[in-house]
Amino acid sequence: MYNERMRKLGEERSDIRELFEYGLQRKKIVGNENVFDFSIGNPGVPAPKCVQDEAERLVREMPAVALHGYSSAPGLPEVRAAVANYIQTAFGAEMRPDLVYMTCGASASLTVTLNAVLHEGDEVAVFAPFFPEYRVFVERAGGTLVVVPTDAKFHIDVKKVAPYIGKRTKAVLLNSPNNPSGAVYSEGEIEALAALLKEKSKERGEPILLLADEPYRELTYGAKVPYVMNFYAHSVVLYSFSKSLSLAGERIGYIAVSPKCAEAEELFSAVCGAGRALGFVCAPVLFQRVVAVCLGKSSDVGEYKKNRDILYHALKEYGYECISPEGAFYLFVKALEPEAKKFCERAKKYELLLVPSDSFGVGGYVRISYCVERSVIRRSLPAFKALIEEYRK
Ligand code: PLP
């Protein structure tokens, strides 16, 4: 009747979705303003003006048939050209329109690319903590997820990475700025990782790919996000406009294969093949056109920074352990007892909805999505204070 693996996947909702649904129910019972829902990474700052201006202009001026019709499978040629041109000018990396594939957000960028490159049993190394859906995407594409530990500040310690990269490693999947830690990996870290991958690729007899999942690239608080293509030839950038332009519901992003990748054209054909096999062709056309004129723009990061600062300073003052995020919009906080899930259950008593870190590949932490309205953050502070006081009693 159905695929048992898919049924299980459908029924066991992610911790994040589970908590989000719980929050909706709870709001009906105790009132919206009394629930502090930090579960989901839904951008709370409006898209920049260029988005609405261009969307309105297109709807007003473009003939409906062209506006709503198919594009070619990898996207509109002029949009792919605009993306390639942006990558060249903004990051100084070589790029060509024929190596750009427009997709439905980062999730599609990830599944398409993983299906394009993996064979059964191939390993994909990810740094902990990581976005939980990586496991689902990698395993569905036939691969095995290998979790690589990071240092105490959730940064890459290349000495720790080496033992996790072996003959079966097909790719390293990198996410910076990181969900959920907020870490932004430095040039030094990327350089060291690139050197290790070069060496390990020789041992493997085939280049190991570096896949950079970058939906938060523009959302940083001063840190520079190195462009992986400038450090390592065999790189593929998986981009999404969901967070940078607050367009999570529009499902739009792209895959950019570095022209320096070994067999770049063939690899791109495999991306097209995977897009076809998975049904991710012809990304939403209206939003292909919109993002083409908003490349490099972002929602007001200053708003997220204010949220970060209020929350971070208050939590530190109360006695919580956490690191000020360098980017994205998540605060990763040490739970007040060894089991994060138990801590999150206790936090619910105070209507605080926090995501336990277990599915992110590390235990003992919680993730707080602070991309919410400022008033939610302010109103939640007494609850955080009461929670830590309960543990001190
Ligand atoms: N990758 C990371 C690191 C994310 O945090 C998310 C969403 O939260 C995604 C991918 C999926 O993004 P999209 O909504 O563009 O599919």
Side-chain angles (χ1 to χ4, degrees):
M1 233 330 236
Y2 48 75
N3 180 304
E4 185 53 23
R5 214 171 126 200
M6 290 301 119
R7 184 192 64 79
K8 274 203 185 132
L9 210 50
E11 285 184 2
E12 58 178 48
R13 269 199 297 241
S14 77
D15 287 346
I16 301 171
R17 287 273 157 196
E18 195 74 56
L19 199 62
F20 178 66
E21 296 299 329
Y22 169 85
L24 294 178
Q25 292 310 317
R26 213 46 216 154
K27 282 175 185 169
K28 280 189 202 151
I29 300 167
V30 297
N32 265 347
E33 67 290 358
N34 297 317
V35 179
F36 313 118
D37 184 358
F38 296 110
S39 63
I40 209 164
N42 205 10
V45 174
K49 192 169 173 301
C50 60
V51 168
Q52 186 152 358
D53 287 351
E54 184 62 1
E56 278 179 8
R57 190 190 70 78
L58 288 165
V59 171
R60 217 175 32 243
E61 292 177 13
M62 249 195 116
V65 172
L67 182 64
H68 301 299
Y70 286 122
S71 69
S72 49
L76 291 160
E78 63 273 29
V79 176
R80 298 167 71 199
V83 170
N85 181 51
Y86 174 72
I87 292 173
Q88 293 201 119
T89 50
F91 310 116
E94 214 181 289
M95 184 41 66
R96 302 197 321 246
D98 58 302
L99 295 177
V100 173
Y101 190 96
M102 300 306 295
T103 63
C104 302
S107 304
S109 300
L110 281 155
T111 44
V112 167
T113 305
L114 290 167
N115 277 276
V117 302
L118 292 184
H119 293 97
E120 204 64 39
D122 279 344
E123 291 180 353
V124 177
V126 298
F127 294 97
F130 57 86
F131 178 54
E133 294 304 278
Y134 285 174
R135 188 177 293 284
V136 178
F137 297 156
V138 167
E139 289 177 359
R140 185 58 200 167
T144 305
L145 195 82
V146 173
V147 181
V148 182
T150 47
D151 69 14
K153 293 189 165 174
F154 306 113
H155 275 264
I156 300 172
D157 176 353
V158 85
K159 289 190 293 300
K160 280 192 183 165
V161 184
Y164 294 87
I165 312 288
K167 286 214 160 29
R168 298 174 69 176
T169 311
K170 180 75 198 194
V172 171
L173 174 53
L174 200 68
N175 167 227
S176 172
N178 183 269
N179 171 10
S181 73
V184 174
Y185 306 139
S186 69
E187 260 187 37
E189 287 167 81
I190 304 297
E191 251 164 25
L193 179 65
L196 177 73
L197 293 186
K198 270 182 214 154
E199 192 190 305
K200 293 283 185 177
S201 295
K202 273 193 213 139
E203 281 171 30
R204 186 183 147 94
E206 185 191 72
I208 296 171
L209 292 166
L210 182 56
L211 311 178
D213 176 27
E214 302 199 330
Y216 303 95
R217 163 164 283 281
E218 288 77 15
L219 305 184
T220 66
Y221 312 113
K224 190 170 166 236
V225 187
Y227 205 66
V228 290
M229 288 186 192
N230 292 331
F231 294 83
Y232 187 68
H234 313 290
S235 294
V236 182
V237 170
L238 317 179
Y239 188 80
S240 166
F241 298 91
S242 293
K243 316 287 177 167
S244 58
L245 291 180
S246 301
L247 290 179
E250 304 301 350
R251 316 308 302 137
I252 188 78
Y254 62 78
I255 298 165
V257 175
S258 171
K260 293 182 187 157
C261 248
E263 301 179 85
E265 287 80 10
E266 290 79 1
L267 174 50
F268 188 79
S269 298
V271 165
C272 296
R276 179 179 172 194
L278 295 167
F280 281 127
V281 290
C282 173
V285 170
L286 171 59
F287 276 86
Q288 284 192 48
R289 294 186 199 279
V290 169
V291 297
V293 303
C294 301
L295 294 162
K297 301 263 175 33
S298 76
S299 310
D300 186 354
V301 186
E303 291 297 311
Y304 293 128
K305 185 172 183 296
K306 282 182 202 155
N307 285 0
R308 176 197 71 163
D309 291 344
I310 295 169
L311 196 60
Y312 171 75
H313 292 300
L315 264 53
K316 286 295 275 189
E317 190 195 312
Y318 304 154
Y320 287 91
E321 259 182 68
C322 49
I323 298 166
S324 180
E326 301 163 282
F329 39 51
Y330 307 102
L331 187 62
F332 209 47
V333 182
K334 196 138 184 37
L336 298 174
E337 58 182 300
E339 271 191 51
K341 282 192 174 156
K342 283 193 184 154
F343 174 62
C344 292
E345 280 309 309
R346 226 151 138 181
K348 278 183 183 169
K349 269 202 327 200
Y350 298 89
E351 308 295 351
L352 288 169
L353 308 190
L354 319 175
V355 183
S357 63
D358 306 73
S359 60
F360 295 102
V362 291
Y365 285 80
V366 293
R367 188 191 78 171
I368 301 177
S369 295
Y370 58 80
C371 49
V372 296
E373 278 179 27
R374 185 121 345 107
S375 60
V376 176
I377 295 192
R378 288 202 199 282
R379 276 188 279 112
S380 73
L381 297 182
F384 278 111
K385 194 158 185 252
L387 178 62
I388 198 166
E389 277 165 4
E390 182 185 319
Y391 274 89
R392 284 196 181 123
K393 270 180 203 155

